[in-house]
Amino acid sequence: MTTVRRAVLTLPAAPLGPDNPLPALRAPGAGAHAVDARTLAELPRDMARGIGRATLRSLLPAPVRDGYGRERTPADLDTIVIENDRLRVTVLPGLGGRVHSLHHKPTGRELLYRNPVLQPAAFALNGAWFSGGIEWNIGATGHTTLSCSPLHAAVVRAPDGGPMLRLWEWERLRDLPFQVDLWLPEGSDFLYAGVRVRNPHERTVPVYWWSNTAVPEDRRVLAPADAAWHHGYERGLNRLPVPVTEDGVDRSYPLNGAHAADFFYDLPEEQRRWIAALDTDGAGLVQTSTDLLRGRKLFLWGAERGGRRWQEWLTEPGTPGYAEIQAGLARTQLEHLELAGGEEFSWLEAYGPLAADAAAALGEDWSAARADVESNLAAALPREAVDAAYDAWREGAADAEPETVLAAGSGWGALEVLRGGYELPGTPFPESTLGPDQEPWRELLRTGVLPPPPKGAGPGAPLVAAPWRDMLETAPAHPSTEYHLGIAQWHAGDRAQAVRSWERGLHRAEVRWPLLYCLAVADREDGHPERAAERFAEAFADHEDHDAGELVAAALGREAAAALLATGRAGRARELWTRLPDEVRERGAFRFLEIRILLAEGRTAEARAVFDEGFEVADLREGAEILGEAWAELTDEPLPDAYEFRMRPS
């Protein structure tokens, strides 16, 4: 019989730490997922429309998560284990509902890449993310803002009457509820995942979804396609033959790639959707789904130094690397679909072992290799069985109410349901989940007044959806209300009105740094870097006057010093840097900031000494090349491996 139970997993882990206290007014850097204008003009029209649809203006209302470090100590992680006589599935409800392990009991094989550590890194849209397992990505192009956040979790009845694990949350970038139902039919070798994204609003919304599975990189990756859209870190997107591309390299083996790259397989319309990663014996993992989940992708890190360094950065040096096989709603991860008001997207995925004929599946005849995999998949899990399982889940189980609550997510969904009166069968967001972050907004909803924060405290978490903006516009104009109104206006694209709101609030504010920070960002975005630098510096000084704490000092100090450097004021940047707490200046990001100040001062020998001493910028962004650029200002020597994170050809 299938069981669902709580358990604990102990791993070396770097704590997530606190969220950044500054509002995420800017969108994440587009370098890793961008397409240049010339390439965009040459793409099929529907693909180009999907790529250009609903580009993020900011990360609001999600917070930036950059409070983690690189020091790992053993930590106990709450897990939920789903088990039958064939599979044991370990899920991390507190970390985005990640499937950490998929263990096949008859063969003793781990079907996923299971990371031996928990090391956050800046790969999610809002920062903290970690590698390994199966993750559920919703929101916008990239890893979800929920990568390291808790989801609601409960036991529900599966279509066959056994227990099923439901994970659900309210995704805040697109303002949408979603659920992932995981179950193991009795005697099944496959984990089923029923996924539903609902649009409870009257308006049409953009939707993005990719299920991302990490597998050992010493595999052959197969998918039922003869071509793929290749996307690297040079901002191009071009259609190539697979598996052997025009340069004569067989790209179905991740280790054959030199640099990090995405291959989005161009599956024929009527083709069964699947992707597999097989070892030298022809055994491994296969993922398949109902037809709505159209896209399939291979991501590889590449064999060059940058890819190898990222692999070490995300786990323990000396451990095996990984690649990713993914499945999404669109052909590529750069596209978004549209979901009409009151409608939903729902589908079924299945993950399990596959044993193919090694000679065929690993042979040079790509058609024969694919045919062998598809034949073995059909024998293990027929396409009709997947469709029937989806129908049974959607008609009889997707709306079933939770029976036993196992974990709690955020209170944001409860607040939205309270405001909108939404009926969402199967995914309750009870008022009991409301917490301190939501309490001021519930008061605004109840009384029309947004209560000010406690004396000397920061302004609290923002909300930006149109109904909340409307309420803020009619609420009494306290400085904290003007702050939140400006954030909502900024998110809506009304930047001039946002600036006016922040300036009104600034005239009467006792604690000025939140408003000064917002105005500084607006100045920088509007092409006034000198004025922005002054306002960043003024915000830092105000935080000192109000003893806002080390967290605010680090966030504002980093922004202010960088802005001063960008406008040629190295002396001011150094003076501000010396006012930071000692513990902050010892962090890797601030050691690198010191290098930039030293370079601006012409003190190259001292800058080189900081490099030689060694440091780690814990929140280095995917695709960042800042370390190599600074090194190149110092010397023509090769960049040391410890600082080599480039993901594209030099």
Side-chain angles (χ1 to χ4, degrees), residues 43-244:
L43 294 175
R45 184 170 299 179
D46 61 332
M47 182 180 287
R49 279 199 304 268
I51 292 173
R53 181 176 289 132
T55 303
L56 290 179
R57 294 193 184 103
S58 73
L59 284 174
L60 294 167
V64 172
R65 313 203 69 178
D66 59 1
Y68 53 87
R70 300 277 308 161
E71 186 174 334
R72 298 189 287 266
T73 56
D76 291 336
L77 306 177
D78 291 332
T79 68
I80 299 172
V81 177
I82 314 166
E83 190 167 8
N84 66 4
D85 61 337
R86 311 290 294 177
L87 287 173
R88 182 168 60 248
V89 184
T90 304
V91 181
L92 303 173
L95 294 165
R98 183 79 59 98
V99 177
H100 174 71
S101 171
L102 190 60
H103 178 78
H104 189 231
K105 295 158 77 170
T107 59
R109 294 172 61 94
E110 173 60 49
L111 300 179
L112 308 176
Y113 167 76
R114 184 175 56 189
N115 198 331
V117 305
L118 176 62
Q119 176 55 64
F123 277 72
L125 286 163
N126 62 336
W129 172 86
F130 63 102
S131 64
I134 306 171
E135 59 175 309
W136 318 107
N137 290 302
I138 181 174
T141 300
H143 296 281
T144 177
T145 60
L146 296 168
S147 291
C148 291
S149 296
L151 303 190
H152 299 281
V155 175
V156 185
R157 287 298 103 188
D160 61 2
M164 176 171 72
L165 173 63
R166 173 161 299 156
L167 304 164
W168 73 100
E169 234 322 341
W170 196 282
E171 199 283 316
R172 302 180 70 206
L173 287 185
R174 303 304 191 186
D175 211 16
L176 298 175
F178 72 96
Q179 73 189 76
V180 179
D181 289 353
L182 302 174
W183 78 99
L184 293 172
E186 187 174 352
S188 174
D189 281 309
F190 284 83
L191 170 68
Y192 286 177
V195 184
R196 176 164 61 169
V197 180
R198 285 187 274 196
N199 178 8
H201 311 293
E202 294 181 356
R203 68 185 188 278
T204 296
V205 295
V207 172
Y208 168 94
W209 183 282
W210 282 79
S211 303
N212 181 0
T213 304
V215 294
E217 66 181 348
D218 59 344
R219 299 290 189 265
R220 189 182 204 191
V221 174
L222 300 100
D226 292 313
W229 293 93
H230 169 262
H231 179 255
Y233 288 77
E234 304 89 358
R235 310 186 78 162
L237 186 65
N238 54 308
R239 194 171 185 271
L240 300 176
V242 291
V244 180

Side-chain angles (χ1 to χ4, degrees), residues 363-422:
E364 294 184 5
D365 187 332
W366 180 243
S367 296
R370 287 167 34 196
D372 184 77
V373 170
E374 189 148 356
S375 173
N376 282 282
L377 173 59
L381 186 65
R383 186 176 189 175
E384 297 75 18
V386 174
D387 292 339
Y390 167 76
D391 291 339
W393 167 73
R394 185 60 195 87
E395 294 170 7
D399 288 345
E401 292 301 320
E403 298 177 358
T404 305
V405 174
L406 300 177
S410 77
W412 295 113
L415 187 67
E416 293 302 329
V417 168
L418 191 64
R419 182 199 60 76
Y422 302 122

Side-chain angles (χ1 to χ4, degrees), residues 474-647:
T474 58
H478 185 275
S480 66
T481 307
E482 298 283 16
Y483 165 84
H484 283 290
L485 175 58
I487 288 177
Q489 291 165 333
W490 180 271
H491 176 264
D494 191 352
R495 294 189 170 188
Q497 190 59 55
V499 168
R500 285 191 284 271
S501 296
W502 291 329
E503 287 176 340
R504 284 196 305 268
L506 189 64
H507 290 312
R508 296 185 292 116
E510 177 186 349
V511 178
R512 293 161 53 87
W513 65 260
L515 291 152
L516 286 166
Y517 169 77
C518 293
L519 288 167
V521 172
D523 283 335
R524 183 162 57 192
E525 295 292 303
D526 289 341
H528 304 293
E530 291 81 8
R531 191 167 68 199
E534 290 299 329
R535 275 180 161 158
F536 279 128
E538 190 179 351
F540 184 80
D542 185 76
H543 115 273
E544 292 177 310
D545 292 342
H546 292 91
D547 193 22
E550 187 177 288
L551 185 62
V552 176
L556 282 176
R558 194 172 179 182
E559 291 272 10
L564 290 166
L565 280 175
T567 54
R569 287 174 269 191
R572 293 274 307 279
R574 173 165 293 284
E575 187 272 333
L576 188 148
W577 184 81
T578 60
R579 286 153 52 194
L580 290 166
D582 290 344
E583 191 278 333
V584 171
R585 283 188 283 129
E586 291 169 0
R587 298 176 193 168
F590 291 86
R591 298 300 307 281
F592 181 64
L593 182 58
E594 181 185 15
I595 287 174
R596 293 176 60 194
I597 295 171
L598 289 166
L599 285 171
E601 295 170 333
R603 299 159 65 182
T604 55
E606 293 168 80
R608 173 63 185 264
V610 179
F611 266 115
D612 291 343
E613 185 178 340
F615 62 91
E616 292 182 324
V617 181
D619 63 339
L620 194 69
R621 291 292 307 186
E622 175 186 9
E625 299 180 357
I626 54 174
L627 300 182
E629 291 167 355
W631 178 265
E633 292 187 48
L634 290 170
T635 176
D636 292 331
E637 297 174 25
L639 183 66
D641 287 345
Y643 305 117
E644 177 58 277
F645 291 93
R646 287 174 292 195
M647 300 175 72

Side-chain angles (χ1 to χ4, degrees), residues 426-491:
T427 55
F429 293 96
E431 287 191 49
S432 60
T433 60
L434 292 168
D437 284 343
Q438 294 83 39
E439 191 55 42
W441 297 100
R442 178 162 66 168
E443 188 69 9
L444 174 65
L445 185 63
R446 188 176 67 85
T447 67
V449 178
L450 184 71
K455 186 177 176 62
L463 282 174
V464 296
W468 296 106
R469 186 174 72 249
D470 292 343
M471 282 183 268
L472 289 168
E473 287 174 346
T474 58
H478 185 275
S480 66
T481 307
E482 298 283 16
Y483 165 84
H484 283 290
L485 175 58
I487 288 177
Q489 291 165 333
W490 180 271
H491 176 264

